[in-house]
Amino acid sequence: MLVKKLKETFEQYDQKEVVLQGWVRTNRKSKALGFIELNDGSCFSNVQIVYTDALNNFDEVSKITLGSALEVKGTVVLTPEAKQPFEIQATSVEVLGLCDHDYPLQKKRHSFEYMREIPHIRPRANTYYAMFRLRSVLSMAIHTFFQDRGFVYVHTPEITGNDAEGAGECFTVTCRQDDEYEKDFFGKHAQLTVSGQLHVEPFAQTYRNVYTFGPTFRAENSNTTRHASEFWMIEPELAFADLSDNMDCIEEMIKYCIKYCLEHAKEEMEFFEKMIDKDCIKRITEVANSNFKRMTYTEAIKELEKVKDTFENKDIFWGMDLQSEHERYICEKVVKGPVFLIDYPKEIKAFYMRVNDDQKTVAACDLLVPYVGELVGGSQREERYDVLEAKIKEMGIAQETLQWYLDLRRFGGCKHSGFGLGFDRMLMYLSGVQNIRDVQPYPRTPRNLIF
Ligand code: 4AD
Ligand code: MG
């Protein structure tokens, strides 16, 4: 039988015989008595196994190494007075897989850098054990949020002929070198997607509200704590929605995800609060109960000009692309919480964003949050055929690659908006973990490919 969470069901097994499989976290012995902390994978806490020299293999059991796989038979005994709510008094302990002595984890704390070298082992260490379950819970939060609201989940392709962001940061796809087509995708130029947006938009013109959620790839050579070459993105698209509706959706989604994770990953969040970021639960709870501010890019530039000498990049002017230090100043020092920056200069944003009446700015919204900076990037899309066509030309994009996208404007096109939430950055935001390499199971960053 599969037990969902041992911790939630143990009371019904009081004084009963159970069989448990799991991995050893600690094993200590004194004379005729020994204790194993076993993790069965069902929850963050370990189960205490008590064994005595009544076991016929007591000596063997007392030498079982950290990380070994076991099957334990024994009686559940409730221990409400003790640190752990119950323990198992073993009647038999069978070693299923002994861990060799060069096992890379010890009982002490290891550095993040060390752990990044062993992605196949690190899920067993507490921080990663908590993180990768949180990752799973957050995925569920996203799906539940959108499914409950009638959004349709669309699988957009990983291999594409379009650079959705127009930033030239694509990994090219090639066939085998000895193939008759040599380097191209069966004779066509193709790349790994940087965003599912262009491919999800047609579905918003069908189902009204849709989302895609999958891996995206960026070949930007930036070695920061917040950029990965492969990361997951949630990209909803809402027909008949303007920029303000878009921001309402983002805000509701972020708050929902926070509450969902606090409820469904309680032990994991408590661990992060204890070991990683002592304010994380308080911080995100406040965010879940706050109203996100909205500020124009122009207002943000004025704020930055006031303190420009405090930045590494002191050259503050209207039209500049904001650096992470500027974004963090706005949300951490000016607003002191999440803030939507809206109406960016059109030159620094993607071709598909709707041009505002001033002709200088576009209806974009970036959500900036303390600790992380940009968490979400979104916009109202340009639905006017002529304006979009002119923009594509102006930006030097080959129109034939986007004719299908332009045509959507001729075939029942309407006002619509959408956004992209960086899934990995959301995990950083929730947990307080400061490097994207520690929230991804197998981090993919420039010059870093383990396995
Ligand atoms: O702002 P971005 O580039 O927006 C888009 O791709 C739009 N097409 C989204 C849309 O409107 N459908 O990326 C969206 C978010 C960012 O705010 C950030 O959180 C995350 O994706 N992101 C990255 N996360 C990790 N590593 C990177 N290299 C990232 N680049 C963007
Ligand atoms: Mg962006």
Side-chain angles (χ1 to χ4, degrees), residues 164-165 194-195 197 218 220 226-229 231 233 235-237 352 366 374-379 381 418-425 436:
E165 292 304 294
V194 294
S195 155
Q197 179 196 325
R218 304 265 166 116
E220 58 197 317
R226 307 173 315 134
H227 287 90
S229 309
F231 62 97
M233 202 173 5
E235 295 186 274
E237 198 66 31
Y352 52 72
D366 278 6
E374 183 193 330
L375 184 62
V376 178
S379 64
R381 318 308 189 188
F419 62 89
L421 165 71
F423 183 72
D424 310 275
R425 289 192 188 172
I436 199 159

PDB file of all heavy atoms in Angstrom, residues 164-165 194-195 197 218 220 226-229 231 233 235-237 352 366 374-379 381 418-425 436, ligand 1:
ATOM      1  N   ALA A 164      10.816  34.354 -29.990  1.00  0.00           N
ATOM      2  CA  ALA A 164       9.657  35.106 -29.501  1.00  0.00           C
ATOM      3  C   ALA A 164      10.018  36.464 -28.912  1.00  0.00           C
ATOM      4  O   ALA A 164       9.272  37.421 -29.039  1.00  0.00           O
ATOM      5  CB  ALA A 164       8.913  34.270 -28.467  1.00  0.00           C
ATOM      6  N   GLU A 165      11.151  36.548 -28.266  1.00  0.00           N
ATOM      7  CA  GLU A 165      11.504  37.811 -27.612  1.00  0.00           C
ATOM      8  C   GLU A 165      12.320  38.724 -28.528  1.00  0.00           C
ATOM      9  O   GLU A 165      12.589  39.863 -28.202  1.00  0.00           O
ATOM     10  CB  GLU A 165      12.272  37.543 -26.321  1.00  0.00           C
ATOM     11  CG  GLU A 165      11.441  36.896 -25.239  1.00  0.00           C
ATOM     12  CD  GLU A 165      10.202  37.710 -24.901  1.00  0.00           C
ATOM     13  OE1 GLU A 165      10.337  38.831 -24.389  1.00  0.00           O
ATOM     14  OE2 GLU A 165       9.082  37.232 -25.176  1.00  0.00           O
ATOM     15  N   VAL A 194      12.453  30.324 -26.517  1.00  0.00           N
ATOM     16  CA  VAL A 194      12.773  31.227 -25.400  1.00  0.00           C
ATOM     17  C   VAL A 194      11.502  31.573 -24.629  1.00  0.00           C
ATOM     18  O   VAL A 194      11.561  32.094 -23.516  1.00  0.00           O
ATOM     19  CB  VAL A 194      13.450  32.548 -25.863  1.00  0.00           C
ATOM     20  CG1 VAL A 194      14.823  32.277 -26.451  1.00  0.00           C
ATOM     21  CG2 VAL A 194      12.578  33.313 -26.850  1.00  0.00           C
ATOM     22  N   SER A 195      10.357  31.281 -25.234  1.00  0.00           N
ATOM     23  CA  SER A 195       9.066  31.606 -24.614  1.00  0.00           C
ATOM     24  C   SER A 195       7.968  30.935 -25.421  1.00  0.00           C
ATOM     25  O   SER A 195       8.043  30.880 -26.651  1.00  0.00           O
ATOM     26  CB  SER A 195       8.869  33.128 -24.639  1.00  0.00           C
ATOM     27  OG  SER A 195       7.494  33.459 -24.604  1.00  0.00           O
ATOM     28  N   GLN A 197       5.000  32.056 -25.580  1.00  0.00           N
ATOM     29  CA  GLN A 197       3.944  33.054 -25.772  1.00  0.00           C
ATOM     30  C   GLN A 197       3.329  33.081 -27.174  1.00  0.00           C
ATOM     31  O   GLN A 197       2.110  33.032 -27.324  1.00  0.00           O
ATOM     32  CB  GLN A 197       4.507  34.438 -25.434  1.00  0.00           C
ATOM     33  CG  GLN A 197       3.480  35.534 -25.618  1.00  0.00           C
ATOM     34  CD  GLN A 197       4.122  36.903 -25.663  1.00  0.00           C
ATOM     35  OE1 GLN A 197       5.100  37.148 -24.975  1.00  0.00           O
ATOM     36  NE2 GLN A 197       3.571  37.799 -26.458  1.00  0.00           N
ATOM     37  N   ARG A 218      17.436  30.078 -22.783  1.00  0.00           N
ATOM     38  CA  ARG A 218      18.016  31.366 -23.176  1.00  0.00           C
ATOM     39  C   ARG A 218      19.528  31.210 -23.271  1.00  0.00           C
ATOM     40  O   ARG A 218      20.175  30.736 -22.323  1.00  0.00           O
ATOM     41  CB  ARG A 218      17.712  32.454 -22.134  1.00  0.00           C
ATOM     42  CG  ARG A 218      16.240  32.658 -21.840  1.00  0.00           C
ATOM     43  CD  ARG A 218      15.631  33.781 -22.657  1.00  0.00           C
ATOM     44  NE  ARG A 218      14.176  33.706 -22.580  1.00  0.00           N
ATOM     45  CZ  ARG A 218      13.388  34.644 -22.036  1.00  0.00           C
ATOM     46  NH1 ARG A 218      13.929  35.735 -21.541  1.00  0.00           N
ATOM     47  NH2 ARG A 218      12.072  34.487 -22.020  1.00  0.00           N
ATOM     48  N   GLU A 220      21.650  33.566 -23.223  1.00  0.00           N
ATOM     49  CA  GLU A 220      22.356  34.762 -22.749  1.00  0.00           C
ATOM     50  C   GLU A 220      23.518  34.317 -21.860  1.00  0.00           C
ATOM     51  O   GLU A 220      23.372  33.430 -21.024  1.00  0.00           O
ATOM     52  CB  GLU A 220      21.424  35.722 -22.002  1.00  0.00           C
ATOM     53  CG  GLU A 220      20.728  35.103 -20.812  1.00  0.00           C
ATOM     54  CD  GLU A 220      19.511  35.899 -20.331  1.00  0.00           C
ATOM     55  OE1 GLU A 220      19.597  37.122 -20.259  1.00  0.00           O
ATOM     56  OE2 GLU A 220      18.494  35.250 -20.022  1.00  0.00           O
ATOM     57  N   ARG A 226      20.480  34.768 -10.796  1.00  0.00           N
ATOM     58  CA  ARG A 226      19.060  34.733 -11.148  1.00  0.00           C
ATOM     59  C   ARG A 226      18.796  34.272 -12.578  1.00  0.00           C
ATOM     60  O   ARG A 226      17.660  34.208 -13.003  1.00  0.00           O
ATOM     61  CB  ARG A 226      18.435  36.124 -10.988  1.00  0.00           C
ATOM     62  CG  ARG A 226      18.657  36.752  -9.638  1.00  0.00           C
ATOM     63  CD  ARG A 226      18.155  38.178  -9.625  1.00  0.00           C
ATOM     64  NE  ARG A 226      18.562  38.880 -10.812  1.00  0.00           N
ATOM     65  CZ  ARG A 226      17.753  39.651 -11.540  1.00  0.00           C
ATOM     66  NH1 ARG A 226      16.501  39.794 -11.184  1.00  0.00           N
ATOM     67  NH2 ARG A 226      18.190  40.267 -12.614  1.00  0.00           N
ATOM     68  N   HIS A 227      19.866  34.031 -13.339  1.00  0.00           N
ATOM     69  CA  HIS A 227      19.690  33.636 -14.738  1.00  0.00           C
ATOM     70  C   HIS A 227      20.133  32.196 -14.967  1.00  0.00           C
ATOM     71  O   HIS A 227      21.216  31.812 -14.559  1.00  0.00           O
ATOM     72  CB  HIS A 227      20.522  34.531 -15.658  1.00  0.00           C
ATOM     73  CG  HIS A 227      19.957  35.910 -15.787  1.00  0.00           C
ATOM     74  ND1 HIS A 227      20.328  36.927 -14.940  1.00  0.00           N
ATOM     75  CD2 HIS A 227      19.043  36.411 -16.630  1.00  0.00           C
ATOM     76  CE1 HIS A 227      19.657  38.014 -15.277  1.00  0.00           C
ATOM     77  NE2 HIS A 227      18.869  37.739 -16.295  1.00  0.00           N
ATOM     78  N   ALA A 228      19.288  31.446 -15.649  1.00  0.00           N
ATOM     79  CA  ALA A 228      19.665  30.087 -16.041  1.00  0.00           C
ATOM     80  C   ALA A 228      19.487  29.966 -17.549  1.00  0.00           C
ATOM     81  O   ALA A 228      18.713  30.714 -18.149  1.00  0.00           O
ATOM     82  CB  ALA A 228      18.783  29.080 -15.326  1.00  0.00           C
ATOM     83  N   SER A 229      20.194  29.032 -18.152  1.00  0.00           N
ATOM     84  CA  SER A 229      20.071  28.823 -19.598  1.00  0.00           C
ATOM     85  C   SER A 229      18.800  28.034 -19.907  1.00  0.00           C
ATOM     86  O   SER A 229      18.238  28.143 -20.983  1.00  0.00           O
ATOM     87  CB  SER A 229      21.276  28.043 -20.124  1.00  0.00           C
ATOM     88  OG  SER A 229      22.466  28.651 -19.687  1.00  0.00           O
ATOM     89  N   PHE A 231      15.124  27.257 -17.947  1.00  0.00           N
ATOM     90  CA  PHE A 231      14.281  27.512 -16.772  1.00  0.00           C
ATOM     91  C   PHE A 231      12.832  27.285 -17.160  1.00  0.00           C
ATOM     92  O   PHE A 231      12.512  27.221 -18.344  1.00  0.00           O
ATOM     93  CB  PHE A 231      14.490  28.943 -16.246  1.00  0.00           C
ATOM     94  CG  PHE A 231      14.126  30.026 -17.228  1.00  0.00           C
ATOM     95  CD1 PHE A 231      12.883  30.644 -17.183  1.00  0.00           C
ATOM     96  CD2 PHE A 231      15.013  30.408 -18.215  1.00  0.00           C
ATOM     97  CE1 PHE A 231      12.544  31.634 -18.112  1.00  0.00           C
ATOM     98  CE2 PHE A 231      14.676  31.387 -19.158  1.00  0.00           C
ATOM     99  CZ  PHE A 231      13.440  32.000 -19.100  1.00  0.00           C
ATOM    100  N   MET A 233       8.815  28.314 -17.248  1.00  0.00           N
ATOM    101  CA  MET A 233       8.009  29.534 -17.245  1.00  0.00           C
ATOM    102  C   MET A 233       6.529  29.187 -17.331  1.00  0.00           C
ATOM    103  O   MET A 233       6.158  28.250 -18.021  1.00  0.00           O
ATOM    104  CB  MET A 233       8.427  30.420 -18.428  1.00  0.00           C
ATOM    105  CG  MET A 233       8.038  31.827 -18.178  1.00  0.00           C
ATOM    106  SD  MET A 233       8.564  33.132 -19.324  1.00  0.00           S
ATOM    107  CE  MET A 233       9.384  32.460 -20.665  1.00  0.00           C
ATOM    108  N   GLU A 235       3.145  30.772 -18.671  1.00  0.00           N
ATOM    109  CA  GLU A 235       2.735  31.871 -19.550  1.00  0.00           C
ATOM    110  C   GLU A 235       1.237  31.813 -19.858  1.00  0.00           C
ATOM    111  O   GLU A 235       0.814  31.122 -20.778  1.00  0.00           O
ATOM    112  CB  GLU A 235       3.555  31.836 -20.834  1.00  0.00           C
ATOM    113  CG  GLU A 235       5.025  32.101 -20.572  1.00  0.00           C
ATOM    114  CD  GLU A 235       5.822  32.208 -21.864  1.00  0.00           C
ATOM    115  OE1 GLU A 235       6.257  31.163 -22.364  1.00  0.00           O
ATOM    116  OE2 GLU A 235       5.993  33.322 -22.363  1.00  0.00           O
ATOM    117  N   PRO A 236       0.449  32.547 -19.099  1.00  0.00           N
ATOM    118  CA  PRO A 236      -0.979  32.642 -19.373  1.00  0.00           C
ATOM    119  C   PRO A 236      -1.235  33.685 -20.467  1.00  0.00           C
ATOM    120  O   PRO A 236      -0.432  34.595 -20.660  1.00  0.00           O
ATOM    121  CB  PRO A 236      -1.582  33.118 -18.044  1.00  0.00           C
ATOM    122  CG  PRO A 236      -0.469  33.015 -17.064  1.00  0.00           C
ATOM    123  CD  PRO A 236       0.793  33.174 -17.835  1.00  0.00           C
ATOM    124  N   GLU A 237      -2.344  33.537 -21.144  1.00  0.00           N
ATOM    125  CA  GLU A 237      -2.755  34.520 -22.144  1.00  0.00           C
ATOM    126  C   GLU A 237      -4.260  34.702 -21.998  1.00  0.00           C
ATOM    127  O   GLU A 237      -4.994  33.708 -21.936  1.00  0.00           O
ATOM    128  CB  GLU A 237      -2.385  33.995 -23.542  1.00  0.00           C
ATOM    129  CG  GLU A 237      -2.339  35.035 -24.615  1.00  0.00           C
ATOM    130  CD  GLU A 237      -1.236  36.086 -24.462  1.00  0.00           C
ATOM    131  OE1 GLU A 237      -0.147  35.792 -23.920  1.00  0.00           O
ATOM    132  OE2 GLU A 237      -1.476  37.228 -24.886  1.00  0.00           O
ATOM    133  N   TYR A 352       5.998  42.663 -29.754  1.00  0.00           N
ATOM    134  CA  TYR A 352       4.559  42.357 -29.691  1.00  0.00           C
ATOM    135  C   TYR A 352       3.793  43.204 -28.672  1.00  0.00           C
ATOM    136  O   TYR A 352       2.594  43.065 -28.509  1.00  0.00           O
ATOM    137  CB  TYR A 352       4.360  40.868 -29.365  1.00  0.00           C
ATOM    138  CG  TYR A 352       5.141  40.424 -28.133  1.00  0.00           C
ATOM    139  CD1 TYR A 352       4.763  40.822 -26.863  1.00  0.00           C
ATOM    140  CD2 TYR A 352       6.271  39.618 -28.264  1.00  0.00           C
ATOM    141  CE1 TYR A 352       5.490  40.433 -25.743  1.00  0.00           C
ATOM    142  CE2 TYR A 352       6.998  39.228 -27.159  1.00  0.00           C
ATOM    143  CZ  TYR A 352       6.604  39.642 -25.896  1.00  0.00           C
ATOM    144  OH  TYR A 352       7.327  39.273 -24.796  1.00  0.00           O
ATOM    145  N   ASP A 366       6.191  44.782 -15.628  1.00  0.00           N
ATOM    146  CA  ASP A 366       7.141  43.859 -14.980  1.00  0.00           C
ATOM    147  C   ASP A 366       6.829  43.868 -13.489  1.00  0.00           C
ATOM    148  O   ASP A 366       6.695  44.949 -12.900  1.00  0.00           O
ATOM    149  CB  ASP A 366       8.595  44.330 -15.175  1.00  0.00           C
ATOM    150  CG  ASP A 366       9.139  43.911 -16.539  1.00  0.00           C
ATOM    151  OD1 ASP A 366       8.381  43.366 -17.352  1.00  0.00           O
ATOM    152  OD2 ASP A 366      10.347  44.134 -16.774  1.00  0.00           O
ATOM    153  N   GLU A 374      13.118  41.095 -10.944  1.00  0.00           N
ATOM    154  CA  GLU A 374      12.011  40.804 -11.877  1.00  0.00           C
ATOM    155  C   GLU A 374      11.528  39.370 -11.727  1.00  0.00           C
ATOM    156  O   GLU A 374      12.256  38.424 -11.981  1.00  0.00           O
ATOM    157  CB  GLU A 374      12.471  41.058 -13.322  1.00  0.00           C
ATOM    158  CG  GLU A 374      11.336  40.842 -14.303  1.00  0.00           C
ATOM    159  CD  GLU A 374      11.797  40.772 -15.760  1.00  0.00           C
ATOM    160  OE1 GLU A 374      12.797  41.410 -16.120  1.00  0.00           O
ATOM    161  OE2 GLU A 374      11.123  40.057 -16.530  1.00  0.00           O
ATOM    162  N   LEU A 375      10.257  39.245 -11.349  1.00  0.00           N
ATOM    163  CA  LEU A 375       9.664  37.924 -11.167  1.00  0.00           C
ATOM    164  C   LEU A 375       8.741  37.589 -12.331  1.00  0.00           C
ATOM    165  O   LEU A 375       8.611  36.428 -12.726  1.00  0.00           O
ATOM    166  CB  LEU A 375       8.881  37.911  -9.840  1.00  0.00           C
ATOM    167  CG  LEU A 375       8.249  36.611  -9.391  1.00  0.00           C
ATOM    168  CD1 LEU A 375       9.298  35.538  -9.157  1.00  0.00           C
ATOM    169  CD2 LEU A 375       7.446  36.830  -8.103  1.00  0.00           C
ATOM    170  N   VAL A 376       8.066  38.626 -12.844  1.00  0.00           N
ATOM    171  CA  VAL A 376       7.116  38.426 -13.939  1.00  0.00           C
ATOM    172  C   VAL A 376       7.346  39.500 -14.992  1.00  0.00           C
ATOM    173  O   VAL A 376       7.621  40.646 -14.655  1.00  0.00           O
ATOM    174  CB  VAL A 376       5.652  38.568 -13.425  1.00  0.00           C
ATOM    175  CG1 VAL A 376       4.652  38.406 -14.575  1.00  0.00           C
ATOM    176  CG2 VAL A 376       5.346  37.570 -12.321  1.00  0.00           C
ATOM    177  N   GLY A 377       7.227  39.109 -16.269  1.00  0.00           N
ATOM    178  CA  GLY A 377       7.235  40.095 -17.354  1.00  0.00           C
ATOM    179  C   GLY A 377       5.971  39.887 -18.167  1.00  0.00           C
ATOM    180  O   GLY A 377       5.674  38.761 -18.561  1.00  0.00           O
ATOM    181  N   GLY A 378       5.224  40.952 -18.405  1.00  0.00           N
ATOM    182  CA  GLY A 378       3.982  40.783 -19.163  1.00  0.00           C
ATOM    183  C   GLY A 378       3.635  42.018 -19.948  1.00  0.00           C
ATOM    184  O   GLY A 378       4.335  43.042 -19.878  1.00  0.00           O
ATOM    185  N   SER A 379       2.559  41.924 -20.721  1.00  0.00           N
ATOM    186  CA  SER A 379       2.132  43.087 -21.506  1.00  0.00           C
ATOM    187  C   SER A 379       0.749  42.870 -22.099  1.00  0.00           C
ATOM    188  O   SER A 379       0.270  41.733 -22.181  1.00  0.00           O
ATOM    189  CB  SER A 379       3.104  43.358 -22.654  1.00  0.00           C
ATOM    190  OG  SER A 379       3.097  42.287 -23.574  1.00  0.00           O
ATOM    191  N   ARG A 381      -0.943  42.897 -25.650  1.00  0.00           N
ATOM    192  CA  ARG A 381      -0.346  42.630 -26.950  1.00  0.00           C
ATOM    193  C   ARG A 381      -0.868  43.596 -28.007  1.00  0.00           C
ATOM    194  O   ARG A 381      -2.023  44.032 -27.925  1.00  0.00           O
ATOM    195  CB  ARG A 381      -0.628  41.194 -27.403  1.00  0.00           C
ATOM    196  CG  ARG A 381      -0.510  40.118 -26.335  1.00  0.00           C
ATOM    197  CD  ARG A 381       0.791  40.144 -25.575  1.00  0.00           C
ATOM    198  NE  ARG A 381       0.916  38.941 -24.725  1.00  0.00           N
ATOM    199  CZ  ARG A 381       1.865  38.753 -23.850  1.00  0.00           C
ATOM    200  NH1 ARG A 381       2.752  39.711 -23.605  1.00  0.00           N
ATOM    201  NH2 ARG A 381       1.935  37.636 -23.147  1.00  0.00           N
ATOM    202  N   GLY A 418      -1.058  39.044 -21.624  1.00  0.00           N
ATOM    203  CA  GLY A 418      -0.501  37.843 -20.998  1.00  0.00           C
ATOM    204  C   GLY A 418       0.796  38.160 -20.292  1.00  0.00           C
ATOM    205  O   GLY A 418       1.280  39.296 -20.309  1.00  0.00           O
ATOM    206  N   PHE A 419       1.354  37.125 -19.693  1.00  0.00           N
ATOM    207  CA  PHE A 419       2.595  37.349 -18.933  1.00  0.00           C
ATOM    208  C   PHE A 419       3.380  36.060 -18.778  1.00  0.00           C
ATOM    209  O   PHE A 419       2.881  34.964 -19.080  1.00  0.00           O
ATOM    210  CB  PHE A 419       2.286  37.955 -17.562  1.00  0.00           C
ATOM    211  CG  PHE A 419       1.444  37.089 -16.644  1.00  0.00           C
ATOM    212  CD1 PHE A 419       2.033  36.168 -15.778  1.00  0.00           C
ATOM    213  CD2 PHE A 419       0.058  37.189 -16.648  1.00  0.00           C
ATOM    214  CE1 PHE A 419       1.259  35.380 -14.933  1.00  0.00           C
ATOM    215  CE2 PHE A 419      -0.731  36.395 -15.794  1.00  0.00           C
ATOM    216  CZ  PHE A 419      -0.123  35.499 -14.944  1.00  0.00           C
ATOM    217  N   GLY A 420       4.609  36.199 -18.310  1.00  0.00           N
ATOM    218  CA  GLY A 420       5.455  35.038 -18.017  1.00  0.00           C
ATOM    219  C   GLY A 420       5.973  35.129 -16.595  1.00  0.00           C
ATOM    220  O   GLY A 420       6.584  36.128 -16.207  1.00  0.00           O
ATOM    221  N   LEU A 421       5.677  34.098 -15.810  1.00  0.00           N
ATOM    222  CA  LEU A 421       6.216  34.024 -14.445  1.00  0.00           C
ATOM    223  C   LEU A 421       7.414  33.085 -14.462  1.00  0.00           C
ATOM    224  O   LEU A 421       7.303  31.933 -14.916  1.00  0.00           O
ATOM    225  CB  LEU A 421       5.151  33.473 -13.489  1.00  0.00           C
ATOM    226  CG  LEU A 421       5.657  32.996 -12.108  1.00  0.00           C
ATOM    227  CD1 LEU A 421       6.083  34.173 -11.238  1.00  0.00           C
ATOM    228  CD2 LEU A 421       4.594  32.176 -11.376  1.00  0.00           C
ATOM    229  N   GLY A 422       8.555  33.560 -13.992  1.00  0.00           N
ATOM    230  CA  GLY A 422       9.736  32.705 -13.882  1.00  0.00           C
ATOM    231  C   GLY A 422       9.550  31.756 -12.702  1.00  0.00           C
ATOM    232  O   GLY A 422       9.590  32.164 -11.543  1.00  0.00           O
ATOM    233  N   PHE A 423       9.336  30.468 -13.021  1.00  0.00           N
ATOM    234  CA  PHE A 423       9.007  29.480 -11.984  1.00  0.00           C
ATOM    235  C   PHE A 423      10.154  29.328 -10.988  1.00  0.00           C
ATOM    236  O   PHE A 423       9.936  29.277  -9.771  1.00  0.00           O
ATOM    237  CB  PHE A 423       8.710  28.140 -12.673  1.00  0.00           C
ATOM    238  CG  PHE A 423       8.298  27.044 -11.745  1.00  0.00           C
ATOM    239  CD1 PHE A 423       7.051  27.056 -11.153  1.00  0.00           C
ATOM    240  CD2 PHE A 423       9.160  25.988 -11.469  1.00  0.00           C
ATOM    241  CE1 PHE A 423       6.669  26.037 -10.292  1.00  0.00           C
ATOM    242  CE2 PHE A 423       8.778  24.963 -10.612  1.00  0.00           C
ATOM    243  CZ  PHE A 423       7.531  24.992 -10.029  1.00  0.00           C
ATOM    244  N   ASP A 424      11.378  29.296 -11.489  1.00  0.00           N
ATOM    245  CA  ASP A 424      12.536  29.098 -10.612  1.00  0.00           C
ATOM    246  C   ASP A 424      12.749  30.309  -9.706  1.00  0.00           C
ATOM    247  O   ASP A 424      13.104  30.181  -8.537  1.00  0.00           O
ATOM    248  CB  ASP A 424      13.779  28.823 -11.464  1.00  0.00           C
ATOM    249  CG  ASP A 424      13.495  27.734 -12.487  1.00  0.00           C
ATOM    250  OD1 ASP A 424      13.625  26.566 -12.144  1.00  0.00           O
ATOM    251  OD2 ASP A 424      13.071  28.071 -13.617  1.00  0.00           O
ATOM    252  N   ARG A 425      12.502  31.480 -10.276  1.00  0.00           N
ATOM    253  CA  ARG A 425      12.622  32.694  -9.444  1.00  0.00           C
ATOM    254  C   ARG A 425      11.538  32.751  -8.377  1.00  0.00           C
ATOM    255  O   ARG A 425      11.747  33.265  -7.284  1.00  0.00           O
ATOM    256  CB  ARG A 425      12.558  33.946 -10.330  1.00  0.00           C
ATOM    257  CG  ARG A 425      13.812  34.102 -11.160  1.00  0.00           C
ATOM    258  CD  ARG A 425      13.871  35.470 -11.790  1.00  0.00           C
ATOM    259  NE  ARG A 425      14.976  35.529 -12.739  1.00  0.00           N
ATOM    260  CZ  ARG A 425      15.197  36.532 -13.553  1.00  0.00           C
ATOM    261  NH1 ARG A 425      14.381  37.583 -13.544  1.00  0.00           N
ATOM    262  NH2 ARG A 425      16.216  36.520 -14.372  1.00  0.00           N
ATOM    263  N   ILE A 436      19.786  30.591  -8.188  1.00  0.00           N
ATOM    264  CA  ILE A 436      18.891  29.773  -9.032  1.00  0.00           C
ATOM    265  C   ILE A 436      19.434  28.354  -9.183  1.00  0.00           C
ATOM    266  O   ILE A 436      18.683  27.406  -9.394  1.00  0.00           O
ATOM    267  CB  ILE A 436      18.668  30.472 -10.396  1.00  0.00           C
ATOM    268  CG1 ILE A 436      17.416  29.929 -11.091  1.00  0.00           C
ATOM    269  CG2 ILE A 436      19.895  30.377 -11.311  1.00  0.00           C
ATOM    270  CD1 ILE A 436      16.834  30.840 -12.141  1.00  0.00           C
TER     271      ILE A 436
HETATM  272  O1  4AD B   1      10.486  38.903 -19.261  1.00  0.00           O
HETATM  273  P1  4AD B   1      10.566  37.647 -20.058  1.00  0.00           P
HETATM  274  O2  4AD B   1      11.699  37.512 -20.986  1.00  0.00           O
HETATM  275  O3  4AD B   1       9.171  37.562 -20.829  1.00  0.00           O
HETATM  276  C1  4AD B   1       8.827  36.674 -21.774  1.00  0.00           C
HETATM  277  O4  4AD B   1       9.473  35.726 -22.161  1.00  0.00           O
HETATM  278  C2  4AD B   1       7.412  36.888 -22.267  1.00  0.00           C
HETATM  279  N1  4AD B   1       7.261  36.214 -23.560  1.00  0.00           N
HETATM  280  C3  4AD B   1       6.436  36.372 -21.250  1.00  0.00           C
HETATM  281  C4  4AD B   1       5.010  36.531 -21.678  1.00  0.00           C
HETATM  282  O5  4AD B   1       4.522  37.635 -21.706  1.00  0.00           O
HETATM  283  N2  4AD B   1       4.342  35.438 -22.006  1.00  0.00           N
HETATM  284  O6  4AD B   1      10.573  36.397 -19.087  1.00  0.00           O
HETATM  285  C5  4AD B   1       9.521  36.213 -18.138  1.00  0.00           C
HETATM  286  C6  4AD B   1      10.060  35.825 -16.793  1.00  0.00           C
HETATM  287  C7  4AD B   1      10.968  36.877 -16.164  1.00  0.00           C
HETATM  288  O7  4AD B   1      10.227  37.863 -15.504  1.00  0.00           O
HETATM  289  C8  4AD B   1      11.803  36.034 -15.202  1.00  0.00           C
HETATM  290  O8  4AD B   1      11.101  35.788 -14.010  1.00  0.00           O
HETATM  291  C9  4AD B   1      11.949  34.734 -15.963  1.00  0.00           C
HETATM  292  O9  4AD B   1      10.900  34.666 -16.896  1.00  0.00           O
HETATM  293  N3  4AD B   1      13.247  34.674 -16.653  1.00  0.00           N
HETATM  294  C10 4AD B   1      14.269  33.911 -16.258  1.00  0.00           C
HETATM  295  N4  4AD B   1      14.412  33.071 -15.223  1.00  0.00           N
HETATM  296  C11 4AD B   1      15.585  32.420 -15.090  1.00  0.00           C
HETATM  297  N5  4AD B   1      16.610  32.550 -15.935  1.00  0.00           N
HETATM  298  C12 4AD B   1      16.529  33.388 -17.007  1.00  0.00           C
HETATM  299  N6  4AD B   1      17.549  33.476 -17.856  1.00  0.00           N
HETATM  300  C13 4AD B   1      15.314  34.104 -17.199  1.00  0.00           C
HETATM  301  N7  4AD B   1      14.877  34.987 -18.130  1.00  0.00           N
HETATM  302  C14 4AD B   1      13.623  35.315 -17.782  1.00  0.00           C
END
